[in-house]
Amino acid sequence: MADNGANKMWGGRFTAAPAEVMRKINPSIGFDYRLYAQDIAASKVHAAMLARQGIIGAEDNARIQDGLDQVRREIEEGRLEFSIDLEDIHMNVEARLKELIGEPAGRLHTARSRNDQAVTDVRLWMRDAIDALDGAIQEMQRALIERASEHRATIMPGFTHMQVAQPVTFGHHLMAYVEMFGRDRERLAGARERTNVSPLGAAALAGTAFPIDRHYTAKELGFSRPTENSMDSVGSRDHIVELLFCCAMHAVHLSRINEEITLWCSDGFRFIALSDAFTTGSSIMPQKRNPDAAELVRGKTGRVVGSLNALLMTVKGLPMTFMKDMQEDKEPLFDALETVQLCIAATTGMVRDMTVRPEPMRRFLDRGFPTATDLADWLVREAGVPFRDAHHITARIVAKAEERGCTLGELDLDTMRAVDGRVTDAVFAVLAPEHSVQSRRSYGGTSPDVVGEAIERATRRWL
């Protein structure tokens, strides 16, 4: 072909150069270069299968295998300069392979398309990314469990509607996040299972007339099996959407714990302190110590959720099978995974770094009448009062304490008995927050002993 600027990738079909804007909007090498290892691994297995099936010769396969190894070394050593004119990682690798080994490189693409090649690479990348993400969440769970074990008897206020509700232990509070993050890991495990199927051999959309062995390539690449339908193989992106949902849900959970870290550091709480490693100062106020790491994790949640929304909007109206729109699947995928990994690392660091302050936690329990439920329960248990009646009696007693500006434990017996004569001085034994947490011994409750049992179960299950 004459050197007229036409794209040589497409042979004789195109005779004119693409518009300059196409050189900007069309290439994906700026982000899919991350798939080089997966692309080369899949190509090596594909070539081995072609030779095994007698589709290409053994000598060609050997040269392809050696050439692909050389290409990978050049990429890893930073010696291969990618070209946007070759659009993507697949064509960049193939072009360099041709420079190295000549004609046999042209046989590598037999019985496959960039459509199944790209989806195979992404699935391989996702599998590794899910494993890395699972490991990072597990390490965060480990940090939470370790801190929960230290503070399974440290009393703090539990809140509903951001109002003091009942006493709990700090260890119990931290273990709530261990459970949340455990469900995130379970979702990831399911996503990995559905990701771990091989589309290689689906070709452009209809399969191939060559006698390939898709079960062989699936097994060699560590997939559980080949995909069932060639059109679905290249025309679906729900495996990526599912992983992005997992990332978004996990980011929301990360945001919740970091919201609490931010609150706990604030002047209104002072439940914890973070060191210089995870805080910043103010450019004008020298006294400030800002929990910026926690705030940034909270802020980046919108970015991860945005990646999920972006891909959902991309695929929502696409007919079968491959459309160029689908090239937009990779940037949100890469960005979401990198963002979540960063947020996990920051959160794990803060959990390990934070200094817990039991005294402010305990003092907070002098407000909000957190043992009112214990008083109502005492009336049910000791005086035989139906709970609904006990609830009303307790509310009237709380009103008396509120009028006098004291806690329930500081309210005198005569005032209580004026509300209901069945109250005795034995009630004072249940009005201390320490008694309240000790009494919550139901499965999953906040009693230090029960929390200890939960820690043991979580350790066996998650670590």
Side-chain angles (χ1 to χ4, degrees):
M1 180 183 294
D3 188 11
N4 59 7
N7 192 328
K8 296 178 177 60
M9 289 170 59
W10 313 128
R13 178 65 180 86
F14 289 77
T15 58
E20 183 59 28
V21 71
M22 279 294 288
R23 299 185 73 245
K24 296 180 179 180
I25 195 173
N26 194 46
S28 59
I29 187 62
F31 47 85
D32 70 12
Y33 70 88
R34 294 172 176 85
L35 302 174
Y36 77 88
Q38 291 79 16
D39 190 72
I40 291 172
S43 290
K44 285 172 68 68
V45 169
H46 182 68
M49 181 274 295
L50 293 176
R52 188 170 180 263
Q53 296 297 106
I55 299 171
I56 66 173
E59 183 177 344
D60 284 344
N61 176 48
R63 293 180 66 185
I64 289 171
Q65 298 293 336
D66 291 343
L68 287 171
D69 288 339
Q70 175 65 26
V71 175
R72 176 165 183 163
R73 284 193 295 270
E74 291 181 4
I75 294 174
E76 291 175 343
E77 294 168 6
R79 294 189 288 116
L80 180 58
E81 184 175 346
F82 296 124
S83 168
I84 63 169
D85 289 328
L86 293 170
E87 294 190 4
D88 56 33
I89 187 61
H90 322 298
M91 298 307 295
N92 272 268
V93 169
E94 185 176 321
R96 179 54 181 154
L97 181 65
K98 186 174 182 179
E99 291 174 351
L100 291 171
I101 69 171
E103 183 182 88
R107 305 187 191 283
L108 174 59
H109 208 53
T110 307
R112 76 175 183 185
S113 162
R114 281 197 301 175
N115 293 357
D116 62 330
Q117 186 180 1
V119 180
T120 300
D121 293 356
V122 170
R123 285 179 182 268
L124 288 170
W125 186 91
M126 286 174 59
R127 196 173 64 189
D128 293 340
I130 290 171
D131 290 344
L133 187 58
D134 180 75
I137 299 174
Q138 182 186 50
E139 192 59 28
M140 183 167 51
Q141 285 181 300
R142 188 186 310 278
L144 286 164
I145 288 171
E146 289 171 356
R147 300 312 304 269
S149 184
E150 294 172 24
H151 294 283
R152 65 182 185 179
T154 300
I155 299 175
M156 70 175 293
F159 297 88
T160 62
H161 307 277
M162 280 307 296
Q163 307 294 313
V164 175
Q166 291 180 283
V168 296
T169 66
F170 191 57
H172 190 55
H173 196 128
L174 294 181
M175 290 301 292
Y177 287 106
V178 173
E179 291 300 308
M180 279 190 185
F181 297 147
R183 292 192 297 276
D184 291 338
R185 290 179 66 192
E186 289 173 338
R187 277 184 282 269
L188 281 172
R192 190 191 193 283
E193 180 181 352
R194 285 176 286 280
T195 295
N196 195 36
V197 290
S198 175
L200 189 58
L205 75 159
T208 177
F210 289 95
I212 63 172
D213 186 347
R214 294 190 63 209
H215 289 86
Y216 171 83
T217 53
K219 180 179 179 181
E220 290 299 302
L221 289 170
F223 288 115
S224 61
R225 57 180 175 83
T227 51
E228 291 293 327
N229 182 283
S230 61
M231 295 181 71
D232 178 61
S233 299
V234 299
S236 298
R237 292 297 184 271
D238 53 283
H239 55 292
I240 302 179
V241 171
E242 183 176 13
L243 178 54
L244 287 177
F245 170 77
C246 292
C247 289
M249 189 72 259
H250 182 60
V252 168
H253 288 161
L254 287 173
S255 183
R256 292 187 69 179
I257 190 172
N258 280 281
E259 166 69 4
E260 299 213 279
I261 288 172
T262 303
L263 287 173
W264 293 340
C265 287
S266 70
D267 289 333
F269 290 82
R270 293 298 182 192
F271 288 178
I272 65 168
L274 293 172
S275 75
D276 294 353
F278 291 94
T279 56
T280 64
S282 165
S283 64
I284 191 174
M285 296 170 283
Q287 84 280 10
K288 294 295 294 298
R289 181 188 293 275
N290 302 319
D292 280 7
E295 293 170 7
L296 284 167
V297 172
R298 190 177 59 189
K300 287 180 183 295
T301 299
R303 180 172 175 169
V304 179
V305 174
S307 292
L308 170 61
N309 287 337
L311 187 54
L312 283 170
M313 292 302 99
T314 297
V315 301
K316 74 174 181 64
L318 298 183
M320 284 291 181
T321 55
F322 179 78
M323 300 284 171
K324 195 69 171 184
D325 313 52
M326 291 180 176
Q327 184 170 288
E328 293 297 305
D329 62 354
K330 298 174 190 64
E331 287 184 282
L333 173 64
F334 295 147
D335 187 74
L337 267 294
E338 290 170 7
T339 300
V340 169
Q341 282 276 13
L342 180 62
C343 291
I344 292 171
T347 304
T348 303
M350 284 183 281
V351 168
R352 289 202 163 112
D353 177 81
M354 65 185 178
T355 299
V356 179
R357 294 171 161 172
E359 295 80 9
M361 290 182 180
R362 180 62 181 80
R363 287 197 299 270
F364 218 93
L365 287 165
D366 289 337
R367 64 182 81 175
F369 311 104
T371 57
T373 303
D374 298 88
L375 172 55
D377 288 347
W378 183 88
L379 286 166
V380 172
R381 189 172 54 251
E382 302 297 328
V385 180
F387 182 80
R388 281 300 168 205
D389 294 342
H391 184 282
H392 294 310
I393 293 167
T394 300
R396 291 163 59 196
I397 293 174
V398 165
K400 296 292 185 182
E402 193 169 35
E403 288 173 7
R404 301 188 182 192
C406 65
T407 67
L408 285 176
E410 294 168 341
L411 190 64
D412 63 276
L413 179 61
D414 288 342
T415 300
M416 291 190 192
R417 287 180 60 81
V419 173
D420 193 287
R422 289 168 289 190
V423 179
T424 71
D425 60 2
V427 74
F428 290 102
V430 304
L431 296 182
E434 290 77 7
H435 176 275
S436 180
V437 297
Q438 289 287 352
S439 69
R440 299 293 190 260
R441 302 186 62 84
S442 56
Y443 189 91
T446 194
S447 160
D449 291 340
V450 175
V451 172
E453 294 167 359
I455 288 170
E456 291 177 3
R457 289 193 302 272
T459 301
R460 290 193 301 269
R461 185 178 183 188
W462 300 118
L463 306 183

